[in-house]
Amino acid sequence: MDELAFSRALEALWKLLNEASQYLMTREPWKVVKEEGPSERLSRILWNGLESVRIVATGLLPFMPRVAPQVLAAIGVTDVPASWSALEWGATPNGAELPEPKPIFPRIDKKEYLGAAPAPAPKAARSASPVEEKALIAIDKFFETELKVGTVLTAERVPKSEKLIKLQVDLAEETPRQIVAGIGLAYQPEELVGKQVAVVANLQPAKLMGIESQGMVLAASIDGKPVLLHPDKAVPAGTQVK
């Protein structure tokens, strides 16, 4: 304490408390009282345990000024020690009568502490048909989306991204389309080269991590992992999907 090494002081107190706990576990006073009843050996075991608790509680006074006095009072020490001499071994009197024990950290009633739990909100009634939950679109609306089959010419990972792969896709146009796809957790770039994929070809360009994407490849999602859609046999690049 004189060196203001508070952490080392606490370590010493916890060490003493742990050793006292081990002492009681090995001496087993609960067995001694059954075998011998009140005896000198039982008295010595209990006194050593109480003296250890007294020293630890005294040392904790600067750290736990509210709790430590309660611990001392529980073992019959009503006057709070005012000097470090109280840390010397042997101050607990023999034969002292202990007060009625009271819990220092009483168990908290969860319901009383948190209050009555709010009643669960009523669940919204489900629609009889899942189809009715989403608006249906006319066939003309569907045909506004231009779907084509493309052939992947090159594929490489986008730096600093685990999911994104940059593709060059042949759609039978003057130049290949650059498409950034979030399929990097399910596919390696080298296995995509030569693969045919379904592409939404009339999306407005968008930038992903600073790279322009000129379309979107279609994929099913199985447990959050993409599975690319492709024709079951090779077709010319740019073939329209209807």
Side-chain angles (χ1 to χ4, degrees):
M1 283 293 191
D2 292 338
E3 299 177 7
L4 302 181
F6 302 123
S7 61
R8 294 211 306 270
L10 285 172
E11 287 175 4
L13 292 172
W14 299 142
K15 182 179 179 181
L16 174 58
L17 192 61
N18 183 62
E19 290 178 351
S21 176
Q22 293 297 321
Y23 170 81
L24 293 174
M25 291 295 291
T26 55
R27 296 301 190 277
E28 299 180 319
W30 50 89
K31 287 187 178 180
V32 175
V33 72
K34 289 182 179 180
E35 296 170 357
E36 304 177 9
S39 64
E40 184 177 348
R41 184 161 74 105
L42 177 63
S43 177
R44 174 57 56 183
I45 294 172
L46 295 179
W47 186 90
N48 286 337
L50 286 174
E51 180 67 354
S52 300
V53 172
R54 183 192 67 79
I55 291 177
V56 171
T58 301
L60 287 175
L61 282 169
F63 303 99
M64 305 175 72
R66 293 185 180 180
V67 174
Q70 295 181 53
V71 176
L72 291 170
I75 59 175
V77 180
T78 55
D79 296 329
V80 177
S83 68
W84 294 121
S85 62
L87 292 174
E88 296 178 2
W89 185 267
T92 298
N94 287 319
E97 186 174 347
L98 299 180
E100 185 72 21
K102 296 180 181 179
I104 296 174
F105 299 103
R107 185 183 297 274
I108 295 176
D109 186 290
K110 185 177 179 180
K111 291 183 179 179
E112 182 179 341
Y113 181 75
L114 297 177
K123 294 183 178 180
R126 289 189 175 184
S127 173
S129 172
V131 177
E132 295 175 0
E133 295 180 0
K134 292 186 178 181
L136 301 178
I137 63 172
I139 189 68
D140 293 341
K141 193 74 173 178
F142 170 76
F143 282 126
E144 290 180 7
T145 303
E146 186 179 9
L147 302 177
K148 292 184 178 182
V149 175
T151 302
V152 178
L153 302 178
T154 64
E156 59 181 289
R157 290 193 177 275
V158 173
K160 299 181 181 180
S161 174
E162 293 182 350
K163 291 185 177 181
L164 298 182
I165 293 180
K166 182 174 69 174
L167 307 172
Q168 297 294 330
V169 182
D170 179 13
L171 290 177
E173 298 171 336
E174 290 185 6
T175 58
R177 289 280 192 103
Q178 177 172 279
I179 298 176
V180 180
I183 57 176
L185 295 180
Y187 294 92
Q188 296 298 325
E190 54 270 19
E191 67 180 297
L192 296 171
V193 176
K195 186 181 290 290
Q196 290 200 305
V197 292
V199 175
V200 181
N202 61 339
L203 282 180
Q204 291 184 356
K207 283 193 174 183
L208 300 175
M209 293 193 69
I211 301 174
E212 185 176 73
S213 181
Q214 301 164 340
M216 181 176 69
V217 295
L218 297 182
S221 179
I222 306 297
D223 295 329
K225 292 185 178 181
V227 178
L228 289 172
L229 303 182
H230 57 84
D232 61 357
K233 62 180 180 180
V235 298
T239 299
Q240 194 169 12
V241 178
K242 297 183 179 180

